[in-house]
Amino acid sequence: MLRVGRRFVHSSGSKTLCYVSQSTDPYTNLAFEDWLLRNTDPQSYVLYLWRNRPTIVIGRNQNPWKECNLDMMQKRDVLLARRTSGGGAVYHDLGNTNYTVLMPRQAFSRDRCALMVAQALQQADIPAYVNARHDVAVGERKVSGSAFRLTSSRAFHHGTMLIDADLARLNGCLRSRHADAIEARGVDSVRSAVANLRDYSWAIDHDAFCTAVRNQFDASFGPVHDMPFDAAANTEMKDRIRTWDWLFAQTPDFVHRLDGYFPWATVSASISAHRGHISAANLATAPEASAPPPHISAAFADIGRALPGTRYAYADVAECLAPIRNYGSHAAELCDWILAAFQ
């Protein structure tokens, strides 16, 4: 079904549809999900199955510096993506299958789709259930998290099913070295013990999971019509959600507090950020310490004047601080200490 102007056209005659992505690009897949939300009939039920190359996907109002180890992600070639929905940060790779269910808003409840997925797993002899956080679990471990989005007429639930994901890579990339030092206004992820479905069944894989969920979707919502996936359906959205402005500048305001211990002083710093740019930077020695010598006070003041307006990114901060590093060894130590907070 396609939308023409403000009218929806049923290309299949069915109101229960299934799409399976042929792409592993996270920006293509997230853009297509958004396209489905905006362009399918508000009274239809749609199942969308997809998976991505290694990617950390954060929620709409989350802080990537607090949620992710960005330095490790870069070294391991793990992408960053930001959803248009809420929820916490999740790790995707080809061992993880994502499912999205769209439905009329009046038919939506937070457990309805999770229960459908749990029932699909039960049919595959995996004793899954839905826990109090609306996640799908087996035993004491979560196998699928959930996030939701509501509009005036439409709702969707999407989840991530861990089938044979690289859990070591997941844990490393989702552990920021700066999490405790960042005071953020956004949503923090809730950490849970996780497991792969392969821990409970060697027969399960991406294709088997997709078949099981499609069959249960058919049983729950009516005869399903399979629809072609269109990677070019929402190129404008795809291009927008891969930009620095979407990935980082959408972050709610936060403050990064640092404590540094040098042979010559104990130094504290607070670096505030607004829309991904530094809005203020303040440095001072410990309250109980004697006043710093003039050249240290000058370095504090110059750093505080230089950083505001700079993008909250290592390369930008390094370029900003480069002239101050030349003030002397103490100034260079200060600059290197601050730069370490951006890795």
Side-chain angles (χ1 to χ4, degrees), residues 6-339:
R6 294 187 178 181
R7 296 182 298 107
F8 292 87
V9 178
H10 294 267
S11 59
S12 66
S14 172
K15 284 198 174 185
T16 309
L17 309 175
C18 179
Y19 295 81
V20 179
S21 174
Q22 305 304 311
S23 172
T24 59
D25 176 73
Y27 311 111
T28 298
N29 286 328
L30 288 167
F32 189 73
E33 181 183 62
D34 182 80
W35 184 89
L36 290 172
L37 176 66
R38 298 174 186 277
N39 291 277
T40 50
D41 189 317
Q43 296 305 307
S44 66
Y45 293 80
V46 179
L47 172 65
Y48 171 42
L49 298 162
W50 47 291
R51 57 181 177 167
N52 292 328
R53 54 159 292 184
T55 307
I56 296 293
V57 184
I58 61 174
R60 172 69 179 82
N61 295 310
Q62 287 199 293
N63 184 316
W65 296 280
K66 187 176 177 68
E67 297 293 332
C68 311
N69 188 324
L70 296 170
D71 185 50
M72 180 181 291
M73 288 170 59
Q74 184 176 31
K75 291 175 180 176
R76 296 185 178 182
D77 194 28
V78 177
L79 298 177
L80 176 68
R82 184 188 291 273
R83 296 190 300 272
T84 59
S85 62
V90 291
Y91 172 76
H92 290 181
D93 65 15
L94 295 182
N96 175 94
T97 299
N98 306 296
Y99 54 91
T100 305
V101 180
L102 299 97
M103 63 178 59
R105 177 162 181 165
Q106 67 270 20
F108 171 79
S109 72
R110 286 181 178 265
D111 279 345
R112 189 175 186 185
C113 299
L115 284 168
M116 180 199 72
V117 172
Q119 290 165 353
L121 294 177
Q122 291 164 11
Q123 295 299 315
D125 296 323
I126 297 173
Y129 66 96
V130 179
N131 66 19
R133 293 190 54 79
H134 317 290
D135 299 323
V136 180
V138 180
E140 297 298 318
R141 294 184 175 270
K142 182 171 76 172
V143 294
S144 175
S146 296
F148 311 94
R149 184 177 174 187
L150 303 175
T151 68
S152 59
S153 61
R154 208 77 166 116
F156 80 54
H157 171 163
H158 54 194
T160 59
M161 182 58 66
L162 297 168
I163 297 175
D164 192 20
D166 184 343
L167 296 185
R169 202 176 195 184
L170 179 159
N171 288 326
C173 291
L174 283 174
R175 293 191 182 277
S176 168
R177 295 182 291 118
H178 309 296
D180 293 340
I182 293 177
E183 300 172 6
R185 292 174 56 187
V187 177
D188 290 347
S189 295
V190 177
R191 308 294 177 184
S192 302
V194 298
N196 278 314
L197 292 183
R198 278 287 177 85
D199 295 339
Y200 308 99
S201 171
W202 282 101
I204 198 75
D205 60 14
H206 171 71
D207 291 337
F209 174 75
C210 289
T211 298
V213 173
R214 185 198 178 283
N215 289 343
Q216 192 61 45
F217 184 70
D218 183 281
S220 300
F221 299 109
V224 175
H225 186 89
D226 293 311
M227 299 291 288
F229 172 75
D230 182 3
N234 200 355
T235 54
E236 182 178 348
M237 178 71 168
K238 173 186 171 181
D239 292 341
R240 182 169 73 88
I241 64 175
R242 68 194 314 159
T243 63
W244 195 93
D245 281 350
W246 174 255
L247 297 173
F248 295 100
Q250 290 295 318
T251 303
D253 293 359
F254 66 96
V255 179
H256 194 161
R257 300 193 187 281
L258 310 172
D259 291 303
Y261 304 95
F262 304 92
W264 39 271
T266 297
V267 180
S268 62
S270 65
I271 302 172
S272 302
H274 172 70
R275 298 191 63 81
H277 290 72
I278 296 171
S279 55
N282 298 287
L283 288 82
T285 54
E288 67 276 9
S290 57
H295 68 286
I296 297 296
S297 296
F300 286 178
D302 285 347
I303 291 171
R305 283 192 293 266
L307 285 176
T310 304
R311 284 204 318 180
Y312 200 92
Y314 181 89
D316 298 73
V317 173
E319 181 179 359
C320 176
L321 295 180
I324 300 173
R325 291 188 86 262
N326 296 325
Y327 286 10
S329 60
H330 290 172
E333 287 182 75
L334 280 172
C335 292
D336 290 342
W337 167 62
I338 291 171
L339 275 173

